[in-house]
Amino acid sequence: MKKLVRVILLNVIVLMVVSNQALSFADPSSLYTTEIPENWVYQAQRSNPHLSVFYGEGDYDLLYFQNLGPISDANVEAFVERTLALYEGPGGLQKFYLDKAPHQVEVAGERGLACVYSYEERSGVTLWEYRIFLILPDQQGFSIALGGRAPWNDQDYPVLTETLSQWRWLF
Amino acid sequence: MKTFVARKTACCVVLLCLILAPTISYAQGAQSFGEWFERSLGSSAVPELVKQYGGVYIVPIQERLWLDEVFQRLVEVTERKELDYNLTVLDSPEYNAFALPGGYLFVTRGLLKAIAQDEAKLAAVLGHEIAHVEKKHGINAVLRQMGLTVLVEVGMLWLDVIPADLLRVASTTLLQLLHLGWGREAEYEADAVGQSLAVRAGFDGIGAVALLDDLLEADSFDLPMKVFRTHPDTKDRRYRVEERLTSFWSIPQFVPAAQLKEILIESRNYDQNRRSDPNNRFFVAKGLSSGLEVYDAQSEQRMLWLEDIKVKDFAWSPTGQYLALVVEQSSLTELWFVDRYGHVVQKLQPDVKYGRIVALSWSPRGEMLALQCSDGVEDQIMVTYVHTEVYLPVSGPLGGKEPIWLDEGLYFLRGEDWYHTSAPPTKPVVVPNPVPLVLQRQRILSPTVIREGDTIRLTRPSLVLP
């Protein structure tokens, strides 16, 4: 009986370990690789060679990486400033509010800026987004965004922490 | 005697303007009087037009960047560089577009929505409206209506002044005429100039045809699409813009056979084995008098498609998604498109005047097909679009046969010699300085599958909001 319980327990532990495993993700345009937590699902229909979209467990959980192609901003600060001005301005995001001002981050050795902002989506729900802005070699604009319903604090990005720790650029 | 009359006329105009002097405003800068008057007239009518159409619509960022890029590309190829063209989106559900003298262009929110990011159609609309400004249709119509042509022309030469009351009246006349249209010939000219502008700016000229097809379809359903409603007969305009498409193609040039052979060897998209699809999944067998015998390499299945149909020729689309077929129907030939399940998704029936289709070749991007058509005496190469039914004779008056479409252009045989022609170059819209997208999750509605014996029933999905 004891042996059976041990076997069952061992199986449960193995299953738990396996179920928490992240999935390797290679960008279709060969720009980067990373790991995505297993309960985040790749959305093929919304993705394209320049945009990779993942849905999380929550109804609004969203993780996406976008390669914008060439941009003309002199530095990442100007890129962030221009983007946020457009988000905030006419035709931008409804009830835009900058929760956390742009601050420096590093993604696999590439320096960027990150910020947190909230806005109201069409049905009136307030959404928060943590966004990282980067300018890669050849003036390629790049963005990593984690969206959801929770008004996150700086420490509340386990998904992003995991994804960014495994991030590797392929250039 | 003539000199005396001219002097008398000039004196009268000067006298008239001196009388009106207290109410005049002066032209600014280096602009000519005519330009200033045109610009003033257009700008004076803007507030009223915006009011009539529900105010200015604030276009969402990404859409605005795309719209600006299409607009700027068109403005770059305009001839009247002295004008400062600007575009306003009106908050109206109508499907409409306008141009006021001086470069003030307007499209409605309804039109943008209906066009659904089709850059060729948008370029056709904006090109048409820009052409009205380029050719001064609006200003000329107003001056004609008010009988002011001579006064303004003389004023342009000597005075550089304009009475404010005159501008007010002209502005009212302009708005009235705007809804009536600038005249039949002006509309035809705007179609021609607009289409040419769109092609020069790197958009496909087919956009004008597709747009007029939308109007014809709306006419048949009596939908509220007011754009070009005041214009000449839509069918006639469609005929003219289709005819003009051929003129944008290059004149066929002789290609030495050895050079073509080299091109074919080096070409990435020349398919010598036309029987297999580009992914080598399906293979069409030869030799059936009717129907198509297709093999699926993955499931090793033999399928018989369109059993009773006589298929004369076929070609796989570059992605392998469709199979284009030349089908014999009594004395006619038709062009059919079949998907990878053997279902007919579209049938095109070219006019009898083009003759029977003998052979076909897809364009490398898969949006067009070259057809070899024969009337029994001579062959010619016609080009058609998959989504818009047009037939463009591109091989010239001496005809051609055996079309081969490669990245470099369309090759065909005329007598013993090979010739080359190509479509006008197009370039996709790339927003020059984009900003990151802000995405939101989309809910996918899935039906419930209910199995009842041998039948499967799908229930209507219900939307559950979190």
Side-chain angles (χ1 to χ4, degrees), chain A residues 11-92:
Chain A
N11 279 339
V12 168
I13 290 164
V14 167
L15 273 174
M16 281 172 73
V17 169
V18 168
S19 67
N20 278 333
Q21 272 185 353
L23 299 170
S24 290
F25 176 75
D27 165 46
S29 60
S30 303
L31 187 65
Y32 59 91
T33 61
T34 186
E35 286 194 357
I36 307 290
E38 202 187 28
N39 48 359
W40 284 75
V41 182
Y42 179 67
Q43 302 296 311
Q45 286 203 324
R46 298 198 71 184
S47 303
N48 60 46
H50 311 291
L51 175 71
S52 299
V53 183
F54 302 85
Y55 283 1
E57 280 177 327
D59 288 321
Y60 293 91
D61 292 351
L62 190 63
L63 176 67
Y64 54 105
F65 317 126
Q66 188 188 2
N67 179 10
L68 284 92
I71 55 169
S72 60
D73 303 291
N75 50 46
V76 71
E77 284 78 9
F79 176 31
V80 174
E81 195 180 324
R82 179 174 64 86
T83 303
L84 295 183
L86 280 171
Y87 286 173
E88 196 175 3

Side-chain angles (χ1 to χ4, degrees), chain A residues 46 55-56 58-62 64 66 68 70-72 82-83 86-87 90-91 119 129 131, chain B residues 58-62 64-65 431-444 465-466:
Chain A
R46 298 198 71 184
Y55 283 1
D59 288 321
Y60 293 91
D61 292 351
L62 190 63
Y64 54 105
Q66 188 188 2
L68 284 92
I71 55 169
S72 60
R82 179 174 64 86
T83 303
L86 280 171
Y87 286 173
Y119 67 97
E129 203 156 62
R131 191 179 286 273
Chain B
I58 307 293
V59 185
I61 302 169
Q62 301 292 344
R64 190 170 79 220
L65 293 172
V431 173
N433 209 17
V435 291
L437 291 169
V438 177
L439 296 184
Q440 283 153 21
R441 279 179 66 151
Q442 288 172 348
R443 288 167 194 90
I444 299 167
L465 287 170

Side-chain angles (χ1 to χ4, degrees), chain A:
Chain A
M1 186 64 187
K2 268 187 178 176
K3 200 177 174 185
L4 183 68
V5 172
R6 264 188 222 154
V7 170
I8 291 170
L9 271 173
L10 189 68
N11 279 339
V12 168
I13 290 164
V14 167
L15 273 174
M16 281 172 73
V17 169
V18 168
S19 67
N20 278 333
Q21 272 185 353
L23 299 170
S24 290
F25 176 75
D27 165 46
S29 60
S30 303
L31 187 65
Y32 59 91
T33 61
T34 186
E35 286 194 357
I36 307 290
E38 202 187 28
N39 48 359
W40 284 75
V41 182
Y42 179 67
Q43 302 296 311
Q45 286 203 324
R46 298 198 71 184
S47 303
N48 60 46
H50 311 291
L51 175 71
S52 299
V53 183
F54 302 85
Y55 283 1
E57 280 177 327
D59 288 321
Y60 293 91
D61 292 351
L62 190 63
L63 176 67
Y64 54 105
F65 317 126
Q66 188 188 2
N67 179 10
L68 284 92
I71 55 169
S72 60
D73 303 291
N75 50 46
V76 71
E77 284 78 9
F79 176 31
V80 174
E81 195 180 324
R82 179 174 64 86
T83 303
L84 295 183
L86 280 171
Y87 286 173
E88 196 175 3
L93 303 172
Q94 290 292 311
K95 295 189 181 172
F96 175 88
Y97 182 76
L98 188 64
D99 288 74
K100 191 169 170 57
H103 53 281
Q104 287 213 11
V105 289
E106 208 180 272
V107 179
E110 290 294 319
R111 183 189 154 268
L113 286 180
C115 65
V116 180
Y117 53 84
S118 62
Y119 67 97
E120 202 175 273
E121 62 128 63
R122 267 185 216 159
S123 59
V125 173
T126 301
L127 298 176
W128 272 261
E129 203 156 62
Y130 177 93
R131 191 179 286 273
I132 299 173
F133 299 83
L134 297 145
I135 298 183
L136 303 179
D138 299 327
Q139 276 294 116
Q140 303 283 312
F142 194 85
S143 154
I144 298 170
L146 176 69
R149 189 111 194 243
W152 296 307
N153 294 313
D154 239 7
Q155 288 77 33
D156 294 342
Y157 311 118
V159 177
L160 213 52
T161 313
E162 195 174 336
T163 302
L164 295 182
S165 66
Q166 298 302 320
W167 197 279
R168 301 285 178 273
W169 297 109
L170 300 178
F171 46 80

